[in-house]
Amino acid sequence: QVQLIESGGGLVQAGGSLRLSCAASGLTFSSYAMGWFRQAPGKERESVAAISWHGGITYYADSVKGRFTISRDNAKNTVYLQMNSLKPGDTAVYYCAAALSVASLYSEEKVGSWGQGTQVTVSS
């Protein structure tokens, strides 16, 4: 059974930083692309960032480019999302996701597994 457990969310002021972590189990982590999605109240879930199984390919939504960095540690079965220069518009529930390729993480339809989500709230 695949489990993706997110942590690191919280309340931060605009301009601040947070680091999200997602610990994976029940899958061969090093064989999967990993990604982060987010869903704000009243909005659809959107892809934020993704990383290939080897870490050599990354994807970022235009809205977070230059501010967010995705990384992974295959030895720890963990993927991270470093979020800097946070804005109130980044407020959302952030979800970890696993899929067979980075391209499969551009939208939620091809995601194989989801975490339960972690709340990120950015105050102005």
Side-chain angles (χ1 to χ4, degrees), residues 38-46 88-93 95 108:
R38 67 185 182 187
Q39 187 168 24
K43 295 188 177 181
E44 294 185 351
R45 188 152 50 183
E46 63 174 354
D90 295 318
T91 295
V93 177
Y95 296 90
E108 61 181 319

Side-chain angles (χ1 to χ4, degrees), residues 3 9 31 38 41 47 50 58-59 79 94 101 109 115:
Q3 282 195 311
S31 296
R38 67 185 182 187
S47 178
T58 56
Y59 158 81
V79 61
Y94 283 71
S101 67
E109 287 78 15

Side-chain angles (χ1 to χ4, degrees), residues 5-123:
I5 300 176
E6 302 98 335
S7 61
L11 174 64
V12 64
Q13 289 189 334
S17 298
L18 283 175
R19 188 194 195 202
L20 305 184
S21 298
C22 171
S25 61
L27 76 169
T28 305
F29 182 76
S30 59
S31 296
Y32 282 81
M34 299 297 295
W36 290 92
F37 285 70
R38 67 185 182 187
Q39 187 168 24
K43 295 188 177 181
E44 294 185 351
R45 188 152 50 183
E46 63 174 354
S47 178
V48 174
I51 188 167
S52 60
W53 65 269
H54 50 76
I57 299 172
T58 56
Y59 158 81
Y60 295 96
D62 288 342
S63 57
V64 307
K65 279 181 182 176
R67 300 188 298 122
F68 290 11
T69 302
I70 189 170
S71 62
R72 65 189 296 159
D73 186 338
N74 287 347
K76 295 183 178 180
N77 284 9
T78 301
V79 61
Y80 305 96
L81 186 67
Q82 178 67 44
M83 304 186 295
N84 298 329
S85 302
L86 283 161
K87 306 175 181 179
D90 295 318
T91 295
V93 177
Y94 283 71
Y95 296 90
C96 179
L100 295 178
S101 67
V102 169
S104 296
L105 292 164
Y106 293 166
S107 64
E108 61 181 319
E109 287 78 15
K110 294 184 178 180
V111 170
S113 299
W114 294 98
Q116 82 287 350
T118 185
Q119 177 70 48
V120 172
T121 303
V122 184
S123 63

